[in-house]
Amino acid sequence: MTVPEVLFVCVHNAGRSQMAAALLAHHAAGAVRVASAGSAPADTINPAVREVMAEIGLDLSTEVPKKLSTDAVEAADVVITMGCGDACPVFPGKRYLDWELTDPAGKAAAEIRPIRDDIDTRVRALLAELVPAAR
């Protein structure tokens, strides 16, 4: 049985895609390979995003934004975009989902928590679909 690979993509890879990748990796516990990238990566992860993830026991302090590559998209079974527009390459046979989520850039932790919780709900549903036994 192959392990599904999920790629989360947003513009800066400093907020939404980092939260989604950390949450899926946590809940999947190795049952899914997880990656994230950005079409125009920032220099660092949004500090308020790091803060709200630490509140639920997920440490993003060692994560860095990564540049979206064709190879990353090609390797993924599921590509989830979060506002990257046309910057994400499209390959036949890949499953693409677009999650419309508020961008946490410039927002305080209190404003980011609902975004994190929305992502968590979506990630759990995706995991249940990809790996039913992981529930």
Side-chain angles (χ1 to χ4, degrees):
M1 180 163 162
T2 61
V3 175
E5 183 157 336
V6 176
L7 173 65
F8 294 101
V9 181
C10 68
V11 175
H12 300 298
N13 191 223
R16 296 166 289 189
S17 57
Q18 290 283 350
M19 287 190 284
L23 287 161
L24 181 56
H26 171 73
H27 294 308
V32 176
R33 281 193 298 276
V34 182
S36 71
S39 53
D43 293 329
T44 61
I45 304 295
N46 178 330
V49 166
R50 282 199 312 265
E51 178 186 336
V52 301
M53 294 303 283
E55 291 172 357
I56 60 169
L58 298 177
D59 180 10
L60 296 184
S61 65
T62 60
E63 295 298 324
V64 295
K66 296 165 275 311
K67 176 79 174 144
L68 177 63
S69 71
T70 302
D71 289 345
V73 176
E74 212 163 17
D77 298 300
V78 180
V79 178
I80 300 175
T81 58
M82 304 170 170
C84 74
D86 296 335
C88 191
V90 176
F91 290 96
K94 302 289 175 195
R95 179 175 173 203
Y96 291 86
L97 300 172
D98 185 44
W99 289 357
E100 290 189 27
L101 297 161
T102 302
D103 188 347
K107 297 194 180 341
E111 298 170 286
I112 296 173
R113 284 184 197 103
I115 301 167
R116 175 201 63 201
D117 295 345
D118 183 9
I119 293 170
D120 189 47
T121 299
R122 294 172 191 236
V123 158
R124 288 172 188 260
L126 177 67
L127 179 60
E129 182 185 319
L130 292 174
V131 187
R135 297 180 86 186

